[in-house]
Amino acid sequence: MKYDSRPFKLVKNEQIADGIFDWTVENKDLAPLAKCGQFANVKVTGRTLRRPISICDADESSLRLVFQVKGEGTRVMSEMKTGDEVEILAPLGHGFEIEKGRKYCLIGGGIGVPPMLYTAKQCDNPLVITGFRNKDLIILQDDFKAAGAELVLTTDDGSAGVHGFVTDVLKERIGEVDKVLACGPIPMLKAIAAVCKGKVRCQVSLEERMGCGIGACLVCACKTKPKDGEAFMSQVCRHGPVYDAEEVFFDE
Amino acid sequence: MSDLSVKICGVEFSNPLIAASGTFGFGREFAEFYPLSTLGGVSCKGITLAPRDGNPAPRIAETEGGILNAVGLQNPGVDHFIEHDLDWLKAQNTRVIANIAGNTQEDYCAMAEKLSDTAVDFIELNISCPNVKSGGVQFGTSCESVAAITSAVKKYSKKPLMVKLSPNVTDIAEIAKSAEFSGADVISMINTLTGMRIDINSRRPIIRNNTGGLSGPAVFPVAVRMVWQVYNAVNIPIVGMGGISKWQDAVEMLIAGASALQIGTVLFNDPYAPVKINEGVSRFMDENGIKSLSELTGTVKAW
């Protein structure tokens, strides 16, 4: 079994920052299959489409899903009660590749920060750079520290941590790392890819509006060019969401 | 479980549910959930003569009770389908419907000719895709163009020909009659209704193609009405689709005039929908003493 849709039990639902919610959901069959950088497709009562949410953390019995309320579907999710049953299709997509013995730099921007937590747990003493617009949106700092990461916090407005972008920190530290893994808004990923180009390998996790979540309906298209292949419209849900930065046409 | 089998043009389907083109790829992804023999058939992703990239993203937007999509017929081309997907799909013990779309009449004919020498069970003529610049729906919105393309493809097709109709027309019964007169063996209907959503902050359409095709529960009553109208106008079987999401919808569509059904958008909400719908239909048959689904087709007692 690669993935399946099963009922999960919502055992925790807590608001951890402005509009950002932290779920723990239990299903002993599917949770152990999750790898870092994969996602879950959450069924929402009353909506036609499921909501794809990155996997923030996982253990033998549960998944942690941290999401931002962006519209009606995520609002309904935010109002669910512990003890509720929720149907989830997981784990989906290709996650980050982690090789032992390498020094990793993990970068998350805004709601792109959560998947980097489970990723940090797979790396040895990673450097983690988290960026947020302002101090009200900061999440998961204690979790990264508990995972043994060296943590750098940046805010765009300087209201907490380093005043500036994640790339300002990356430029200073890039000589220390073997590989960069990143998730966040496209302009941030594009800037990170530019800094890494020719220096270190970089993998990025992309976001796109999705339908089926498994690669059948072809709606979440992204033009990519595999290293030894032709450029094609790949499916973010199936070929991604994690790609080598050099494969991605960021402007198309 | 009751006998859910249906027969269309002499071809038996183990149950009335066929995965609708464009929602199911070539089946491999859904085979992770259940054997594809759970479905009576699979209508494959719309294929074209040459591979196509499709439209830029975003290609989907949610609406009340449905979705808009504008994939734009991304597919690997008919030869790739025949070489890489067809044998696998046929081995899944389900009926295979090859959905074809073209830029020109010659494209459609060339594909029909190639597919006639393969193991596909039906060819579904997609003259109703609203999301491509040329071809697609332009062939499906007037009686003359439907007649021309249907009769042309019929000459090249050794397979039963299913013509998939667009709902974006004034009188769908007239279009269906044209298809029947020109050699269609089956009508499948409805394709999506052209729609649009706009982000009020950016004032940009949510879909990059600006417009897209509406599907899902929101279109179900439109589909039921059109299937009923066409049932009253033609003598060939109808494969009904458009927003079927639960077993009650399936029964309703059969009563409206369908002999078999396609389901699509509901699969995004619940990949197990075919299993649940078939169970419900089976229970309904038991409770009402129905031996064959053909007893339901077209039995609406219209006022």
Side-chain angles (χ1 to χ4, degrees), chain A residues 64 88 97 119 129 164 173 198 209 226 243-244 246:
Chain A
R64 185 177 180 188
I88 297 178
E97 282 171 33
T119 311
I129 309 170
R173 306 285 302 268
R209 285 175 183 267
Y243 294 92
D244 266 3
E246 300 200 354

Side-chain angles (χ1 to χ4, degrees), chain A residues 161-238:
Chain A
V162 177
H163 184 179
F165 294 130
V166 292
T167 39
D168 299 332
V169 179
L170 176 64
K171 281 176 198 160
E172 286 172 19
R173 306 285 302 268
I174 193 161
E176 303 168 31
V177 302
D178 300 317
K179 195 172 165 188
V180 173
L181 311 177
C183 183
I186 288 286
M188 182 193 96
L189 297 179
K190 195 177 160 185
I192 291 169
V195 173
C196 294
K197 196 172 168 74
K199 295 194 181 79
V200 297
R201 188 169 167 214
C202 173
Q203 283 192 302
V204 293
S205 178
L206 304 185
E207 192 175 45
E208 189 49 73
R209 285 175 183 267
M210 290 181 182
C212 67
I214 55 176
C217 76
L218 312 185
V219 305
C220 55
C222 170
K223 191 172 180 186
T224 58
K225 184 184 179 307
K227 204 174 272 171
D228 303 311
E230 299 279 310
F232 77 120
M233 292 297 256
S234 72
Q235 270 54 68
V236 174
C237 70
R238 181 160 75 107

